[in-house]
Amino acid sequence: MIQLRLAFRRSVTRGWARGVLAWWLSAVATGMAFQLGPLGPAMESRLTNEPDSTLALIAGRLGILLKGRVHEEITQLAYDCPVAPRDLAQDAVCAQADQDWATPFIIYGVRWNDLPPFSLSPGQGQCGAFGKSCRVDQTVRFSTQPACWYCLFADAQKIAQTQRIVGCRAGPGEVVGNVMTRSHFGDLQFLHAMASDEGIPASVTQAEVLDWLEFAWKVSARQINGARLLRDVPIATIQQRFGCTGWTVADLYIRGRQDAASGLAPKLHHIAFGSVLHTVQDSFAAGHVEREAGGATEEVCPGASYPQPPRVIEFHAYGHQDPALHDAADTRAAMTSEHTVEGWPDAVAASRNLAQLHEDLAPWDEVQPYLQCLFELSSQSRASSAGAGFSR
């Protein structure tokens, strides 16, 4: 117990613990329960120097529920983790930590969309939920500044109800956020195959998603290297969202761990591919995207030898969704309930196809027709909203 208390004090500075505890007790009293990504594999704990036991303790103190390893399981299945489709609902072996079918760096990338590292400038570390400041001299990860991370997350969840969270420049009705708050609540929601706000035409979000996938795939195929400045990448959405920064590709994906000693920089192509998988997998979750009813069509994707999945009717926006309803659609049970025993769930099937293309070192020009097919719009497509059944 003494060791656990000391671990907690290392992550939550003195004078902050009282505010954290008071907020936590208030959250419990009002029935609040939040979920964030699951604990990472052993390799990630080693890289961040923070053991799972400490993170689980702090998550519990904050009243946070840790999600199941749905993305990790889908990715391990994509790399032939040995479970037959007919047994998937009952056999969760591929969801266990530290399965080694996919590399730990691909798993790091799959987790990146939910838990991107970010830095704060002086004045950006103030957090209303706890009334204290985050450390601005240290890269923020849930594993290194968990209370700060979640405080900023909770603040952003409230802010998003009335203002847009954006990147470099804020206009009327907008505030500047960091990569994490922007990805969950703001202008980077395309990382999760979601719209940045309500009322956005489906074609606009589709273009953002495909721009992101082009960028990430080109990094994964080593067509774009880690030293490239994001503002110099000739992809519209990347320039619009990151063009005013001095960030490199490595800064975006592995901020605070660009050094050779971490071992992450040489594996940047695996990390980027993991982030591709996350975006595609999210697009088959009902809280993110509404697709046409039914399973995969009998059509074949134009320019690719894969089945056409149900087309996109609406990209949802998270800002006005009920978090509990959203999270319920992201569970393993939701994923396994939507497939027949003869085939894989759509998210698994798409991930398996993409894994093969990645193993074959396919360049973007060969992959683009399939990714375009995965996000083809329905003739009934409509502008974004919280989504039927997901509103607060």
Side-chain angles (χ1 to χ4, degrees), residues 4-12 17 20 54 57-58 61:
L4 291 178
R5 286 175 178 166
L6 289 174
F8 180 68
R9 287 172 185 165
R10 284 199 301 271
S11 298
V12 185
V20 172
T54 301
L57 171 71
I58 296 169
R61 285 179 180 267

Side-chain angles (χ1 to χ4, degrees), residues 161-175:
Q161 302 304 304
T162 57
Q163 299 179 85
R164 293 189 71 240
I165 300 175
V166 298
C168 307
R169 303 177 185 89
E174 298 177 337
V175 295

Side-chain angles (χ1 to χ4, degrees), residues 266-334:
K267 302 297 184 181
L268 194 63
H269 58 294
H270 282 182
I271 295 169
F273 178 62
S275 73
V276 168
L277 290 180
H278 186 114
T279 301
V280 170
Q281 291 165 7
D282 271 351
S283 77
F284 293 101
H288 294 246
V289 175
E290 180 184 346
R291 291 179 177 267
E292 292 175 340
T297 70
E298 296 182 358
E299 302 172 55
V300 174
C301 290
S305 57
Y306 303 112
Q308 166 88 56
R311 293 173 174 83
V312 172
I313 294 176
E314 181 184 316
F315 294 100
H316 302 324
Y318 187 73
H320 294 280
Q321 285 188 334
D322 182 303
L325 295 174
H326 177 97
D327 288 342
D330 276 352
T331 61
R332 184 178 194 277

